[in-house]
Amino acid sequence: MHMHNAPVGVFDSGLGGVSVLKEAVRCLPHEHFIYYGDNLHAPYGDRPEQEITRLSAQCADILTEKGVKALLVACNTATGAAIRLIRSKLDVPVVSMEPAIKPACQSPGNGKILMCATYATTQLERYKKLKTRMPDPERIIDVPCPGIVDIIEQGNFCYSAFEKALDKCLGRYEGALIDGLVLGCTHYIFIKDVFYRYARSRFRGQCRMFDGNAATVRQLTRVLSANDMLKVCGTGSVSFFTSGDRAKYQPLFNMLLHY
C-alpha cells in the first residue's frame, strides 16, 4: 500500500479522542483513520503512571500492527505518561496532545485560569514542565475532575448529570475571577457547553474555554505533509476498534463522531 493511502491511527483511553478525530476528519477529509478506544481500561486518569504507560504502549502497538502511517495520541494523560516511550518504539511519526494552557495564559485579564483535567495529567512531569514555561504559572490552578469521564463514557451529556461532579471539583472557586477554563481532557470537549454554563453561573470574569484539539490536528497536518504522507484526493474513511464491548461502544462512537 502506498504510504499516502495508509491510515492514520488515533487512540484514547476511551471515547474522548473521538473529539480530536472529529476535527481531523473535518480538516483532512481525504484521509483514512483507524480509531482505537481502550474502553476496557478507561479512564486512564485514575491509574498509576506505570500502568498508564503500559496501556498506552499497547494501544500504539495495536495500531502499528494495523499498518498506520502515523499515530495521533488523542489523550492528554497518555501523552504525559508515555509519549517518549511510544516515539522510541515506533518507526512512524507520532503526534501528541498537551493541555492548551499557553493560549489560555495569553488571553487578557487579571483572573485565574482553571486547568480541568484528570488527576494523573495534573501530576505528570511533562505537564508540570509545560506549566513552568508559562509567563505566569501562578495564574494557573490545576483542577482534577474525577467522575466526569465515567459519565461521558456512559453516553450521558445532560447538564444535570454533571452538576454534582462539577460542584465537587469546581465549587470551591465559586465567586472567583476566572479568565479561562482549559479542557485538559479530550472527553471534556463533548460537554464544553456544560462547563461553560457552570462557569458562568458560579464565577466572575470571561470564563473563556480552551482546548488543544484544533492545534493538534494542525500539527498532524504539518507532520503528514512534511513526511510526504498527506492524502489529497479521494474519499476518506473511519474505522473503529475497542478493547471493550463493541456492541456497546460502536453506537456511542458513531454518535460522538457526528455530535
Side-chain angles (χ1 to χ4, degrees), residues 30-206:
H30 307 295
E31 294 288 349
H32 300 301
F33 292 96
I34 297 178
Y35 185 90
Y36 182 76
D38 192 11
N39 302 88
L40 183 64
H41 302 105
Y44 282 4
D46 299 330
R47 296 179 180 274
E49 182 175 354
Q50 185 175 6
E51 189 174 5
I52 298 167
T53 300
R54 178 180 60 81
L55 292 170
S56 300
Q58 286 180 358
C59 292
D61 288 342
I62 288 168
L63 286 169
T64 300
E65 290 170 4
K66 295 183 182 298
V68 300
K69 64 183 177 183
L71 182 69
L72 170 55
V73 182
C75 176
N76 288 281
T77 301
T79 293
I83 194 62
R84 288 186 179 179
L85 173 63
I86 291 172
R87 284 186 168 138
S88 70
K89 290 178 59 177
L90 268 57
D91 293 328
V92 300
V94 180
V95 176
S96 63
M97 304 272 315
E98 65 181 21
I101 56 175
K102 183 176 181 179
C105 288
Q106 291 172 338
S107 65
N110 299 311
K112 296 293 187 179
I113 303 295
L114 300 181
M115 206 294 279
C116 304
T118 66
Y119 177 77
T121 294
T122 64
Q123 297 301 306
L124 291 169
E125 193 62 29
R126 181 183 177 89
Y127 168 70
K128 290 180 178 180
K129 288 181 179 179
L130 173 67
K131 189 174 172 181
T132 62
R133 297 198 295 271
M134 297 302 105
D136 185 8
E138 297 302 317
R139 190 183 180 197
I140 304 167
I141 300 175
D142 297 331
V143 185
C145 298
I148 299 294
V149 168
D150 303 85
I151 299 172
I152 295 171
E153 286 282 313
Q154 294 167 13
N156 196 338
F157 304 98
C158 297
Y159 181 84
S160 59
F162 296 94
E163 194 166 10
K164 287 184 179 180
L166 289 173
D167 270 335
K168 287 182 180 179
C169 56
L170 292 170
R172 73 191 68 179
Y173 306 110
E174 185 165 353
L177 181 62
I178 304 298
D179 291 328
L181 280 78
V182 177
L183 303 183
C185 171
T186 53
H187 281 82
Y188 300 169
I189 313 305
F190 290 119
I191 58 163
K192 183 182 292 187
D193 291 345
V194 171
F195 273 96
Y196 186 71
R197 176 179 169 183
Y198 184 91
R200 295 297 293 175
S201 69
R202 303 301 203 282
F203 310 138
R204 297 179 294 121
Q206 292 297 311

Side-chain angles (χ1 to χ4, degrees), residues 19 170 203 217 225:
S19 66
L170 292 170
F203 310 138
V217 173
S225 180

